[in-house]
Amino acid sequence: DIADVPWAAEKLEVPTSNVQGFLPLAVEEVVTIANRVGMHPTYTIYLPREQDSVYTVSAYPPRAQDEATIHIDQYTGAVLADYRYDHYGSLAKAVALGITIHKGTQFGWMNQWISLLVCIGMIGVALSGYYLWWKRKPKQGLGAPKAPSVEKMKRFLFLLIVLGIIFPLVGLSLVVIWLLDRFVIRQIPAVKHFFNA
């Protein structure tokens, strides 16, 4: 709660400034310490809130490998904790990399071009799917295949029910669609024919 830090450092224990009764360090001195220990220049300094609090210096840079969080004693300037990418576990490293790759910052402009190509590809798949459906659909109706009988769908229905319980929003969506199908689509002949229900 004291600072905006990288994901992997959110549960890091925050030390305290035990030596009190002195004047706190000036922010300029904290900047000097952060630069001396090799913090990435994108770091943010969070000021102490209490007499025993610490300065927190957090870098959330474009590359995951440059992430770092340090806590500095507000009176002595001692670095009480220094937590960097190299200290992360395997899962935390994978998440940190995933975040920077997803944001398009991990590999610079190449990362952004690849992400752009993936987005264009997804748009192309959606548009070509619509085009192919439009070219092949019958003049009357949606062109949807006839639904198989419930007997053939037992395992699939069981899976849907389980997923609906695990993910309640999915379950609610499935119930709404089932109600719509049961009491609207199947009750109006023109709509039923259009959807091939």
Side-chain angles (χ1 to χ4, degrees):
D1 294 336
I2 66 165
D4 184 21
V5 297
W7 176 85
E10 287 180 354
K11 299 294 184 187
L12 182 66
E13 186 176 342
V14 180
T16 57
S17 297
N18 291 324
V19 180
Q20 297 177 27
F22 297 94
L23 288 174
L25 298 173
V27 174
E28 290 77 16
E29 294 175 281
V30 177
V31 168
T32 302
I33 294 167
N35 293 337
R36 188 178 69 229
V37 298
M39 291 291 290
H40 191 274
T42 59
Y43 65 79
T44 303
I45 298 174
Y46 296 91
L47 305 177
R49 296 181 183 174
E50 307 290 340
Q51 286 188 338
D52 63 346
S53 296
V54 292
Y55 280 101
T56 297
V57 183
S58 176
Y60 207 176
R63 292 178 66 244
Q65 291 87 340
D66 297 327
E67 289 182 7
T69 302
I70 64 172
H71 297 296
I72 301 172
D73 189 299
Q74 67 169 307
Y75 303 108
T76 66
V79 177
L80 303 176
D82 189 338
Y83 192 58
R84 300 179 188 251
Y85 179 83
D86 292 338
H87 301 123
Y88 296 178
S90 299
L91 180 61
K93 284 182 178 179
V95 170
L97 279 170
I99 290 170
T100 53
I101 290 170
H102 179 74
K103 287 173 23 181
T105 61
Q106 181 66 31
F107 303 112
W109 64 268
M110 189 191 327
N111 194 165
Q112 295 167 17
W113 276 108
I114 291 170
S115 297
L116 177 63
L117 289 175
V118 169
C119 289
I120 291 171
M122 289 180 179
I123 292 168
V125 167
L127 292 178
S128 63
Y130 176 78
Y131 173 76
L132 292 172
W133 165 77
W134 185 260
K135 291 293 284 183
R136 295 179 182 191
K137 85 176 199 66
K139 299 281 184 197
Q140 303 285 322
L142 191 63
K146 188 79 175 163
S149 66
V150 176
E151 290 298 319
K152 293 180 179 178
M153 300 286 289
K154 283 183 178 177
R155 288 182 182 171
F156 181 68
L157 289 174
F158 176 75
L159 178 64
L160 283 181
I161 291 168
V162 170
L163 288 173
I165 292 169
I166 295 172
F167 302 105
L169 195 55
V170 171
L172 180 63
S173 302
L174 293 173
V175 168
V176 169
I177 291 169
W178 178 77
L179 291 172
L180 187 65
D181 179 57
R182 177 91 171 148
F183 297 106
V184 177
I185 294 173
R186 292 181 185 266
Q187 302 305 320
I188 304 171
V191 176
K192 182 177 180 179
H193 175 72
F194 181 77
F195 285 105
N196 198 20

